[in-house]
């Protein structure tokens, strides 16, 4: 697949953030988010299947994400993780173009980045 990253209007975020793919399946992020707009700002990491490829999740009933917050966000309830699943089953053109604008998007908003945690957690 193809990984993309985007730092919304912020060279500070780009220069102070790092992402590593560990063991082919773990995404390790060390990030800084700058409030570039009155509503905030964001970092965006995306993974898209290449070309006309796709991941068949039609039989899936849950999505499980295991995470560990090493250092809580300094602004309580201002940072959230947004998991977006994109459906390309009806996509006819530019299906792997970043940022997936021709795909159906399903969003979840997870307020977990300001939690003080000692071990791994997960949600489904």
């Amino acid at each position: 697949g193809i990984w993309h990253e985007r730092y919304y209007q912020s060279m500070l975020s780009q220069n102070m953030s790092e992402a590593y793919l560990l063991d082919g399946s773990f995404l390790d992020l060390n990030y800084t988010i700058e409030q570039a707009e009155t509503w905030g700002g964001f970092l965006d990491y995306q993974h898209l299947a290449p070309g006309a490829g796709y991941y068949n999740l039609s039989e899936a009933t849950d999505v499980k994400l295991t995470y560990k917050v090493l250092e809580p966000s300094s602004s309580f309830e201002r940072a959230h993780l947004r998991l977006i699943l994109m459906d390309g089953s009806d996509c006819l053109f530019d299906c792997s173009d970043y940022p997936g604008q021709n795909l159906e998007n399903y969003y979840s908003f997870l307020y977990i980045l300001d939690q003080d945690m000692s071990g791994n957690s997960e949600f489904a």
Side-chain angles (χ1 to χ4, degrees):
I2 303 166
W3 280 96
H4 298 281
E5 57 187 352
R6 179 172 46 158
Y7 305 92
Y8 182 79
Q9 298 183 10
S10 173
M11 287 304 295
L12 176 68
S13 291
Q14 184 172 351
N15 292 335
M16 296 185 70
S17 299
E18 299 172 314
Y20 302 99
L21 189 60
L22 305 173
D23 298 329
S25 60
F26 297 100
L27 185 60
D28 184 11
L29 300 175
N30 182 2
Y31 65 93
T32 297
I33 300 173
E34 177 183 15
Q35 183 171 343
E37 301 282 354
T38 55
W39 52 262
F42 65 85
L43 299 180
D44 180 10
Y45 294 94
Q46 287 191 14
H47 182 270
L48 296 172
Y54 63 93
Y55 301 106
N56 187 350
L57 301 177
S58 61
E59 300 295 320
T61 57
D62 297 291
V63 173
K64 179 177 158 182
L65 177 68
T66 302
Y67 64 92
K68 181 187 243 181
V69 177
L70 299 177
E71 184 177 334
S73 170
S74 60
S75 298
F76 186 71
E77 293 188 351
R78 286 282 297 151
H80 65 269
L81 173 66
R82 187 180 299 178
L83 178 63
I84 305 171
L85 297 177
M86 295 182 245
D87 180 1
S89 59
D90 294 324
C91 186
L92 300 175
F93 61 93
D94 299 331
C95 300
S96 64
D97 284 2
Y98 179 77
Q101 298 301 81
N102 294 323
L103 306 176
E104 185 73 30
N105 288 254
Y106 300 91
Y107 294 87
S108 66
F109 294 83
L110 307 162
Y111 292 88
I112 59 174
L113 299 176
D114 54 12
Q115 296 177 1
D116 191 6
M117 304 170 56
S118 57
N120 291 343
S121 292
E122 60 186 48
F123 72 88

